[in-house]
Amino acid sequence: MSCFSWRPPLNGRRALPANNSNDEENEVPEMEAFGLLPRGFNPKDYLRVVDIHMFKEPHEINKQQHHTDKYYSPKLIVRRGQPFQIQIDFNRPYKPETDQFWLEYLIGRYPQQNKGTYIPILVGNVLKPGEWGAKITHKENNSIRLSIMSSATCIVGKFRLYIAVWTPFGILRTHRNSATDTYILFNPWCQQDAVYLDDEKEREEYVLNDVGIVFHGNINDIKLRSWSYGQFEENILDACLFLMDKAELELSGRGNPVKICRVASAVINSRDDNGVIAGSWDNAYTYGVAPSAWTGSVDILLEYYSSKQPVRYGQCWVFAGVFNTFLRCLGIPARLVTNYSSAHDNNANLQLDFFLDHEGKVDTKITKDSVWNYHCWNEAWMTRPDLPVGFGGWQVVDGTPQETSDGMYRCGPASVQAIKHGHVCYQFDAPFVYAEVNSDIVYSRREKNGIQVIEKIDTTHVGQLIVTKEVGGDGMMEITEEYKFQEGSEEERLALETAVMYGVKKQSAQDTTYQPQTDVDMDFQAQKAVLGSDFKVTITFRNKSHNCYTATTYLSGNIVFYTGVTKNEFKKHSFSAKLEPSSSSSFDVVIKSSEYLSDLLDQASFHFFVTARINETGKILATQKATVLEIPTLRIKVVQGEMVAGKEMSVTVEFTNPLKQTLENVMLRLEGPGVLRTMKKEFRQIPANSTLIWELKCIPKQPGLRKLIASLNCDALRHVYGELNVQIQKP
C-alpha cells in the first residue's frame, strides 16, 4: 500500500505545509506503477471497479441509522465510531484468494497516515468497535456489500473515497468522484466518542432539534422568542466546515471538540479574524441588518460562506444562535443559555464598581463595569481529557466579543462544574465566566476630602437566574444551580474562597470603611407597561427604628442598552421623604410616554437608580432595577387542513402599530426550517393604530411539527416577533 508522492515547497521547520483546509485536494494517481510496465500490460485484465453505491438517500440505511436523514444534502453523511454500508460492483466476481483491494479515505491537500488525513482500510473478517476497518457482509454476482467502521476519534469533515486494486505491476485506483465524498460527524450516540450523551431525549433536543428559544428581557420580566438554527438546511454543513478552514484549524485537530469549540468561539465574531458576525451595540445599523431583525442562523451563515466577509450586525443572542447551529450541525450537543443580570467585569476582580458623585448619582465617566440585563452564551457537551476527572459534561463557550483570551476575542470552553466549585484554574477562561455569574456590586462615593466610602454592597444581584429551553418543549428550565450553590450557603462561601485561592482577585470590604444604614430598607418597583403608554414606579421605605428620619431621595431613569450601558438619562426626580418610626411609606413617580419614546432603543429597556440620603445619619441607601416594556407581537395565521409536504400553502402575518406615530420603512421577515426559506418584505409606512397584513405562499418540504418565526423591524420599533407551530402532513 502506498501513499502518493508529491514535492511540496521545502521549509526548514516542517516537511509538509500546514494542512488546514478541508476544501483543498491533491492529485491522486489512477495508475501507480511499481516499475517499468511490460509491453502487454492491460489494466482491463485485472479486477476493476465499475460502480460504487453509497446508500446515501435519506430513507436508506446509512442516514437512518446515523441520524443524518434530516440533512438537505445529496452526499453520504455518517457519524464516527459507527458502521455504515457501501456496495462495490466489479467487472467480474471478486475472488478473495487472488484479488486484493482496499479503501482509501483522504482529507485535505497533504494526506498523511500518521495525521489521520490519509486512511487506508484493508478488508478483514471482524470490525473492532471505534477503530477503522471494513468487512464483507454479502457477495452476489460481481458485487460485494461492505460494512465500514470509522474511528470514534477520527477527524470530522468531508473525506474523499478511492478504491485501490493491487496488480503485479502497480496499483490501480478509481478516478476522483465527488459523488462518493463522505462527511463524517461527531457521534453523541457512540460511547467511545468524546461527545457521547446517554439520554435519547437530550440527544433529540441538543443535536437534532433545529429550532430553539432565546430567553431575553430581564430578571423581573422574562421574555422569549424562537430562533431557527436550521443546521440541516442546504449548504449549512459546508458553511460550518468552512468556518474551521477560516480559523485555520489543522485538519488533524478536527476530531477534538475542545479545539473546535475554542477556535469557533473566536471565528463566530469578526474581531481580530474577520469572522462571521460583526457586533454592534450602538443602535445605529446602517449598511446592515439590525440584530433584532434576524429570525435564525441560516441567512447569516450562507451570506458569510458566499461573501467571506463579516455579516452585519449581531448582539449576544445572534452570536449564540449561530454558534449553536455550528455545534449541532457538526454533531456536538449544544444549548443556548441566558444569564440574567450578567456581570461584565472589566478588571476581573469579582466586583462591579459603581461610583456615585456627592449627590448620590452614578458617575458614568468613571464607572466602567456594567450589568447586562441578560447575556446569552452556549454550552457544549464533551469529555475534557485535558482536565482532571470530573470536569467533563457541559462547557461554557461564548462567541460574543467581550474580553480577549490569549490575545483573541474568544471565550471557553470552560467547565460548568469547575465554575460551580470555584476551580477556576482549569482552562479556558473560567475566571471570566465565574465573574459573570458571581460578582458583587459595590456602590462607593468619594467624599469631599477624597476618601472613598463604600455605601452599599449587593451580593445577590448578579447571576440571579440562569436558564435554557427545556428538553422536548418550549418552556424554561432553570440551571442556576449547575453554576452556583445556594446564595449564602456554606458551600457557596467555600467555592468563592477556592476561586480566590486560584487567583480570582477579590477586594474585601474590610479594606474600606463600610457601615451601612441597617434600620431602614428601601425597595423599588416598576409597573408593567406596554410600549407607548405611561406607567408609574414606586419607591417604598421601611423604617424599622424608633427614630423619625427624613430621606432626600433621587430617582434617575435611564434608557439603556441591554448591556447595561446608559444611552441617556430621560427622567430626573428628587423629593424629600418623611419616614415615621416603625412604619412603611410609599412614593409614586409617573413616567410619561412622551418622556421616553423619542430616545427609546431596540429592547425598550429602562434602568432606574434610586439613591436616598438619610439626613440624620448621612448614610446612603442605593438600589437599581432594570425594567422592560411589553412589545406588541406579530400574529401568524395559516389555513388549517391544507398543510401537506410538497403542496402549496398560504401564510398570513398581521401587525397592529401601537404607537402614536407612523412607522416608516418597516421590514418583515418570515422563516421556518423545512417549511420555507427566509422571505422578506418592506412596507413604506404603517400609520398609528393601523394594521398591516402580509400574505405569502410556500411549499413545505418536510412533514412533521415545524415552527414559523417572524420578525418586524424599523427604526422606531424593534424586537417585534411572532411564531406559530404548524403540523405538516405527509403527502
Side-chain angles (χ1 to χ4, degrees):
M1 236 179 292
S2 111
C3 204
F4 342 99
S5 51
W6 54 78
R7 289 278 167 269
L10 283 171
N11 156 338
R13 208 170 55 83
R14 51 157 75 195
L16 282 179
N19 197 14
N20 54 20
S21 167
N22 196 162
D23 220 28
E24 295 180 3
E25 303 186 3
N26 60 316
E27 287 284 323
V28 177
E30 288 181 34
M31 171 70 204
E32 197 176 327
F34 295 150
L36 285 175
L37 287 175
R39 254 209 300 251
F41 176 79
N42 182 356
K44 294 199 167 67
D45 298 344
Y46 297 93
L47 187 69
R48 197 174 75 253
V49 175
V50 177
D51 202 1
I52 308 173
H53 304 274
M54 305 296 287
F55 308 114
K56 58 191 183 179
E57 292 302 312
H59 61 270
E60 290 182 297
I61 181 165
N62 288 329
K63 284 187 175 170
Q64 286 292 321
Q65 289 187 342
H66 287 253
H67 308 92
T68 56
D69 53 305
K70 286 211 183 94
Y71 285 90
Y72 194 88
S73 165
K75 305 268 169 86
L76 176 61
I77 304 171
V78 294
R79 297 185 187 276
R80 63 188 194 174
Q82 181 179 337
F84 59 95
Q85 322 295 317
I86 69 170
Q87 179 180 315
I88 305 173
D89 299 345
F90 293 111
N91 57 336
R92 58 170 174 74
Y94 163 69
K95 302 198 276 290
E97 311 76 51
T98 52
D99 293 330
Q100 196 192 354
F101 77 94
W102 60 90
L103 311 173
E104 294 177 334
Y105 282 100
L106 285 74
I107 188 168
R109 191 164 167 198
Y110 306 104
Q112 269 181 291
Q113 198 167 344
N114 62 352
K115 296 270 195 188
T117 50
Y118 167 66
I119 302 152
I121 305 170
L122 284 169
V123 178
N125 300 324
V126 289
L127 289 183
K128 291 196 191 127
E131 288 178 32
W132 281 105
K135 71 170 191 184
I136 296 173
T137 57
H138 193 67
K139 266 196 287 208
E140 193 173 314
N141 302 331
N142 295 355
S143 301
I144 57 168
R145 180 70 91 83
L146 287 178
S147 179
I148 302 168
M149 172 75 84
S150 62
S151 151
T153 59
C154 80
I155 292 168
V156 165
K158 180 168 81 169
F159 288 82
R160 313 189 292 285
L161 168 65
Y162 294 89
I163 293 169
V165 177
W166 189 88
T167 77
F169 305 107
I171 295 165
L172 295 175
R173 270 193 194 83
T174 48
H175 56 269
R176 171 82 183 99
N177 176 6
S178 64
T180 61
D181 286 351
T182 304
Y183 292 89
I184 302 184
L185 306 180
F186 286 103
N187 193 351
W189 285 263
C190 167
Q191 291 199 0
Q192 288 107 316
D193 198 309
V195 302
Y196 172 65
L197 185 60
D198 62 352
D199 182 309
E200 178 59 26
K201 290 246 181 314
E202 291 189 2
R203 290 188 294 240
E204 281 173 18
E205 179 68 58
Y206 298 136
V207 184
L208 301 179
N209 196 349
D210 55 3
V211 290
I213 303 272
V214 175
F215 292 96
H216 59 119
N218 70 37
I219 181 79
N220 307 305
D221 188 7
I222 289 168
K223 297 189 181 313
L224 63 158
R225 57 165 299 193
S226 291
W227 185 268
S228 157
Y229 296 126
Q231 67 266 37
F232 306 120
E233 301 295 299
E234 193 173 7
N235 293 328
I236 290 295
L237 177 53
D238 287 324
C240 291
L241 295 180
F242 167 69
L243 293 197
M244 293 195 280
D245 290 357
K246 182 78 180 97
E248 297 184 0
L249 177 59
E250 260 303 320
L251 288 170
S252 57
R254 294 189 193 185
N256 180 342
V258 177
K259 281 188 178 168
I260 286 180
C261 284
R262 182 95 179 123
V263 303
S265 79
V267 85
I268 291 287
N269 67 70
S270 65
R271 302 284 291 265
D272 16 71
D273 54 8
N274 252 357
V276 185
I277 306 156
S280 175
W281 281 267
D282 61 5
N283 210 43
Y285 308 120
T286 23
Y287 312 116
V289 173
S292 55
W294 301 111
T295 44
S297 311
V298 173
D299 295 352
I300 295 172
L301 283 165
L302 293 183
E303 182 183 325
Y304 186 70
Y305 186 37
S306 69
S307 76
K308 318 282 190 268
Q309 290 302 314
V311 178
R312 297 184 285 209
Y313 289 103
Q315 288 173 6
C316 70
W317 70 93
V318 182
F319 293 106
V322 171
F323 206 160
N324 224 48
T325 300
F326 170 84
L327 294 165
R328 287 187 185 180
C329 185
L330 296 184
I332 300 173
R335 60 190 188 185
L336 191 151
V337 169
T338 301
N339 176 33
Y340 283 100
S341 303
S342 188
H344 185 170
D345 177 6
N346 279 293
N347 57 352
N349 63 348
L350 271 201
Q351 70 177 41
L352 299 184
D353 296 302
F354 285 87
F355 299 106
L356 308 176
D357 62 16
H358 55 278
E359 286 179 353
K361 289 207 303 249
V362 171
D363 187 333
T364 50
K365 284 195 193 63
I366 55 172
T367 300
K368 292 283 177 274
D369 293 341
S370 65
V371 179
W372 295 34
N373 287 356
Y374 65 93
H375 178 45
C376 300
W377 58 67
N378 307 80
E379 288 178 356
W381 179 270
M382 66 194 71
T383 58
R384 289 296 301 266
D386 55 325
L387 302 184
V389 174
F391 294 115
W394 290 115
Q395 312 291 317
V396 173
V397 289
D398 190 348
T400 300
Q402 292 191 88
E403 297 291 326
T404 55
S405 165
D406 298 334
M408 287 180 86
Y409 281 93
R410 56 181 164 195
C411 177
S415 160
V416 172
Q417 188 70 339
I419 290 159
K420 177 168 182 171
H421 292 275
H423 291 261
V424 294
C425 50
Y426 296 125
Q427 57 193 26
F428 296 89
D429 307 313
F432 182 76
V433 182
Y434 186 87
E436 285 182 298
V437 299
N438 285 304
S439 290
D440 293 344
I441 299 179
V442 177
Y443 297 92
S444 54
R445 186 167 55 93
R446 184 152 285 173
E447 295 280 7
K448 292 224 166 55
N449 60 9
I451 293 173
Q452 199 80 348
V453 181
I454 292 185
E455 296 291 2
K456 179 179 180 189
I457 297 178
D458 187 341
T459 56
T460 59
H461 185 83
V462 165
Q464 294 178 65
L465 179 66
I466 304 167
V467 300
T468 187
K469 172 186 162 326
E470 68 183 4
V471 172
D474 283 352
M476 184 173 86
M477 177 167 84
E478 181 176 347
I479 54 170
T480 317
E481 64 202 34
E482 310 274 312
Y483 281 83
K484 51 210 289 195
F485 292 101
Q486 205 66 46
E487 283 285 356
S489 66
E490 191 50 48
E491 296 94 336
E492 187 210 20
R493 279 261 67 79
L494 205 61
L496 174 69
E497 284 165 25
T498 309
V500 171
M501 173 180 83
Y502 282 128
V504 174
K505 302 193 284 285
K506 176 141 179 84
Q507 289 171 315
S508 67
Q510 285 75 44
D511 301 351
T512 39
T513 51
Y514 171 48
Q515 290 153 331
Q517 178 95 24
T518 49
D519 56 3
V520 180
D521 291 338
M522 178 173 73
D523 187 35
F524 175 80
Q525 291 298 329
Q527 181 188 1
K528 280 213 162 157
V530 178
L531 182 75
S533 62
D534 302 349
F535 63 99
K536 68 172 193 206
V537 296
T538 306
I539 300 155
T540 307
F541 293 97
R542 200 166 62 132
N543 180 357
K544 299 178 286 191
S545 74
H546 298 303
N547 312 323
C548 188
Y549 289 132
T550 52
T552 302
T553 309
Y554 177 79
L555 166 86
S556 163
N558 301 278
I559 288 178
V560 290
F561 298 95
Y562 80 96
T563 58
V565 175
T566 301
K567 180 189 178 198
N568 61 4
E569 186 177 49
F570 71 92
K571 179 83 177 174
K572 299 186 179 86
H573 185 72
S574 301
F575 60 94
S576 180
K578 193 160 192 245
L579 312 182
E580 300 290 348
S582 310
S583 66
S584 293
S585 15
S586 294
F587 302 88
D588 290 346
V589 180
V590 174
I591 310 288
K592 289 195 161 45
S593 63
S594 55
E595 294 177 301
Y596 67 76
L597 266 180
S598 60
D599 287 320
L600 204 54
L601 294 167
D602 293 23
Q603 309 219 1
S605 261
F606 298 127
H607 190 252
F608 291 98
F609 274 112
V610 185
T611 41
R613 184 163 65 253
I614 307 292
N615 296 328
E616 288 73 12
T617 64
K619 291 277 188 311
I620 291 215
L621 304 170
T623 188
Q624 58 171 310
K625 187 161 270 185
T627 168
V628 183
L629 293 171
E630 289 295 317
I631 296 175
T633 52
L634 291 171
R635 299 180 294 283
I636 306 177
K637 297 177 179 169
V638 290
V639 180
Q640 294 299 332
E642 59 166 50
M643 298 182 291
V644 181
K647 289 212 174 133
E648 188 174 78
M649 62 180 266
S650 51
V651 182
T652 312
V653 182
E654 293 182 4
F655 175 73
T656 305
N657 176 6
L659 299 183
K660 304 182 174 85
Q661 69 190 70
T662 297
L663 298 177
E664 296 185 348
N665 303 330
V666 177
M667 181 63 90
L668 276 178
R669 291 170 95 92
L670 177 69
E671 76 168 289
V675 183
L676 82 168
R677 287 295 282 275
T678 308
M679 309 285 280
K680 298 180 231 176
K681 184 162 175 72
E682 187 166 0
F683 292 82
R684 301 301 318 193
Q685 292 194 320
I686 312 176
N689 298 320
S690 73
T691 298
L692 145 170
I693 296 176
W694 177 30
E695 283 188 43
L696 67 163
K697 301 217 174 321
C698 63
I699 300 176
K701 295 194 288 272
Q702 302 227 344
L705 184 63
R706 316 301 299 169
K707 195 179 276 254
L708 298 174
I709 306 169
S711 79
L712 174 145
N713 221 65
C714 62
D715 286 347
L717 198 56
R718 303 196 198 276
H719 285 273
V720 179
Y721 304 110
E723 61 186 69
L724 181 69
N725 288 330
V726 289
Q727 186 72 46
I728 307 292
Q729 306 300 327
K730 289 193 170 125

